[in-house]
């Protein structure tokens, strides 16, 4: 007899089915779900199986694998990702960027050269917009170079929010008042819809190139090359050891020689890869691709 949706909703997946699902998600997204995430995963899978009328996990996985549009897989990915962040989170790393890293990167470059900064796992956009504000406010050479701000995430829903650039009080809690006044416009008529909200100004919205990217898919990251700085903070904690090593190798290929990776405060590149050189700056520790790493 086939599985019934009601059994999945009430009792959760069997250990075998849970392992099968986790293997599938890991292969497709790089995300690793352990037994500790069992309740979180069970609830979301049960909801999606019911929504599409799947009679059991096998039928649902077949839909995920063979649906030409990929819409259901994207819906599931959106449910499975957690996106909590705010402006100027772990600001000391942005300080490191404008106080040390950028000046080193352009030391031997003529004015007008291109600088590429990639926010991987950008969620609702607070990180790339924070970078843009830091550059405008704190790097005196910002007008001397062509700066490309790239931002990506696997979750299509949060990318739509990032492009819209609308934020609540919690997201702006770490932003000084003068920067809020300079770069954000209050939204009208929002008090009854969960509190006041602000929209980042159009010039900043247009300064960031947002794209839907699964960093575990080599085809999707192939276009990211010659990157000078990669911010990938608190994303790889959701990967297993193999996934982290694969991501570190992918970032290495994406970086220009001498480029840097910035990880979250609890992450260490030394546990993932020996390809990088740790660099201790006054504000933070970053990981550098050796200058003699060869042309890409």
């Amino acid at each position: 007899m086939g599985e019934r949706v009601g059994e999945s909703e009430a009792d959760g997946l069997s250990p075998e089915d849970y392992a099968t699902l986790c293997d599938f998600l890991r292969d497709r997204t790089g995300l690793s779900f352990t037994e500790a995430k069992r309740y979180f995963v069970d609830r979301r899978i049960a909801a999606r199986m019911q929504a599409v009328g799947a009679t059991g996990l096998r039928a649902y996985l077949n839909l995920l694998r063979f649906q030409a549009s990929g819409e259901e897989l994207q819906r599931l990915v959106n449910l499975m990702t957690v996106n909590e962040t705010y402006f100027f989170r772990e600001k000391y790393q942005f300080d490191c960027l404008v106080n040390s890293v950028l000046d080193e990167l352009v030391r031997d470059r003529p004015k007008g050269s291109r600088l590429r900064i990639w926010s991987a796992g950008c969620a609702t956009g607070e990180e790339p917009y924070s970078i843009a504000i830091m550059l405008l406010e704190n790097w005196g050479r910002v007008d001397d170079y062509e700066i490309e701000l790239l931002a990506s995430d696997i979750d299509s829903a949060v990318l739509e929010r990032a492009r819209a650039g609308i934020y609540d009080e919690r997201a702006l809690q770490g932003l000084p008042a003068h920067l809020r006044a300079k770069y954000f416009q209050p939204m009208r008529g929002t008090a009854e819809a969960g509190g006041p909200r602000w929209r980042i100004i159009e010039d900043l919205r247009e300064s960031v190139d947002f794209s839907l990217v699964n960093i575990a898919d080599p085809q999707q990251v192939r276009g990211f090359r010659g990157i000078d700085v990669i911010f990938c903070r608190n994303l790889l904690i959701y990967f297993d050891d193999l996934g982290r090593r694969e991501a570190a190798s992918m970032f290495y290929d994406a970086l220009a020689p001498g480029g840097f990776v910035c990880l979250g405060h609890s992450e260490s590149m030394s546990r993932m890869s020996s390809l990088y050189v740790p660099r201790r700056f006054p504000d933070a520790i970053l990981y550098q691709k050796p200058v003699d790493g060869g042309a890409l």
Side-chain angles (χ1 to χ4, degrees), residues 82-89 123-124 126 130 161 166-176 180 184 194-198:
V82 178
N83 302 284
E84 292 189 11
T85 186
Y86 47 87
F87 281 87
F88 284 15
R89 183 179 184 180
T124 44
E126 287 91 335
S130 293
R161 292 168 58 190
I166 298 173
Y167 299 98
D168 59 17
E169 181 66 36
R170 184 186 178 282
L172 274 63
Q173 62 183 331
L175 199 66
R180 181 184 301 202
F184 292 82
R197 296 186 297 168
W198 291 263

Side-chain angles (χ1 to χ4, degrees), residues 104 255 258-261 275-279 286-291:
E104 178 173 321
L255 284 170
F260 294 89
V261 173
L275 294 171
Y276 297 83
V277 177
R279 291 289 307 279
L286 274 64
Y287 302 92
Q288 186 175 30
K289 177 176 180 175
V291 175

Side-chain angles (χ1 to χ4, degrees), residues 14-25:
S14 70
E16 295 78 12
D17 283 348
Y18 184 73
T20 298
L21 175 66
C22 290
D23 287 345
F24 174 83
L25 290 172

Side-chain angles (χ1 to χ4, degrees), residues 24 38 76 85 127 138 157 168 183 237 246 255 292:
F24 174 83
R38 180 66 177 268
L76 181 62
T85 186
E127 180 174 90
N138 298 285
D168 59 17
Y183 293 107
I237 59 175
E246 291 173 341
L255 284 170
D292 59 358

Side-chain angles (χ1 to χ4, degrees), residues 133 136-137 175-185 199-201 204:
I133 293 171
L136 291 170
E137 292 292 314
L175 199 66
H178 72 283
L179 295 182
R180 181 184 301 202
K182 185 174 182 179
Y183 293 107
F184 292 82
Q185 298 169 332
R199 189 173 198 184
I200 201 161
I201 61 173
L204 280 189

Side-chain angles (χ1 to χ4, degrees), residues 16-260:
E16 295 78 12
D17 283 348
Y18 184 73
T20 298
L21 175 66
C22 290
D23 287 345
F24 174 83
L25 290 172
R26 193 266 175 219
D27 290 343
R28 291 298 182 95
T29 68
L31 300 174
S32 177
F33 294 97
T34 63
E35 190 64 28
K37 292 284 187 179
R38 180 66 177 268
Y39 181 68
F40 173 89
V41 174
D42 275 346
R43 291 182 61 195
R44 284 155 179 77
I45 285 294
R48 290 312 310 161
M49 287 172 62
Q50 185 177 47
V52 300
T55 57
L57 182 66
R58 181 180 299 178
Y60 185 62
L61 288 178
N62 283 338
L63 174 65
L64 296 178
R65 289 189 178 104
F66 302 118
Q67 185 183 44
S69 66
E71 290 179 5
E72 181 57 27
L73 178 59
Q74 187 63 62
R75 289 191 186 97
L76 181 62
V77 166
N78 292 358
L79 280 177
M80 291 294 186
T81 50
V82 178
N83 302 284
E84 292 189 11
T85 186
Y86 47 87
F87 281 87
F88 284 15
R89 183 179 184 180
E90 298 178 9
K91 181 177 176 291
Y92 61 91
Q93 295 174 327
F94 300 140
D95 291 333
C96 183
L97 178 71
V98 298
N99 293 335
S100 303
V101 170
L102 291 177
D103 285 339
E104 178 173 321
L105 286 170
V106 302
R107 184 178 299 149
D108 298 318
R109 300 188 194 186
K111 290 184 178 181
S113 299
R114 185 177 65 172
L115 278 168
R116 307 191 82 197
I117 301 173
W118 177 17
S119 169
C122 68
T124 44
E126 287 91 335
E127 180 174 90
Y129 288 139
S130 293
I131 293 170
I133 293 171
M134 285 293 295
L135 292 174
L136 291 170
E137 292 292 314
N138 298 285
W139 196 48
R141 307 173 72 180
V142 66
D143 292 327
D144 293 340
Y145 297 90
E146 180 188 345
I147 299 174
E148 291 185 9
L149 290 179
L150 311 174
S152 68
D153 203 278
I154 195 173
D155 185 331
S156 60
V158 298
L159 284 173
E160 287 304 310
R161 292 168 58 190
R163 293 187 181 103
I166 298 173
Y167 299 98
D168 59 17
E169 181 66 36
R170 184 186 178 282
L172 274 63
Q173 62 183 331
L175 199 66
H178 72 283
L179 295 182
R180 181 184 301 202
K182 185 174 182 179
Y183 293 107
F184 292 82
Q185 298 169 332
M187 302 283 290
R188 294 183 178 180
T190 59
E192 296 180 359
R197 296 186 297 168
W198 291 263
R199 189 173 198 184
I200 201 161
I201 61 173
E202 184 177 3
D203 284 349
L204 280 189
R205 296 200 307 274
E206 293 181 349
S207 73
V208 181
D209 182 7
F210 290 100
S211 57
L212 183 68
V213 173
N214 174 4
I215 67 168
D217 185 339
Q219 295 295 328
Q220 294 189 30
V221 298
R222 183 170 293 176
F224 290 83
R225 290 294 183 268
I227 306 296
D228 292 293
V229 184
I230 298 173
F231 282 82
C232 183
R233 305 188 300 171
N234 307 309
L235 170 61
L236 299 183
I237 59 175
Y238 299 105
F239 287 36
D240 59 17
D241 288 341
L242 176 59
R244 284 188 281 269
R245 290 195 296 271
E246 291 173 341
S249 178
M250 179 274 294
F251 288 147
Y252 188 87
D253 291 339
L255 284 170
F260 294 89

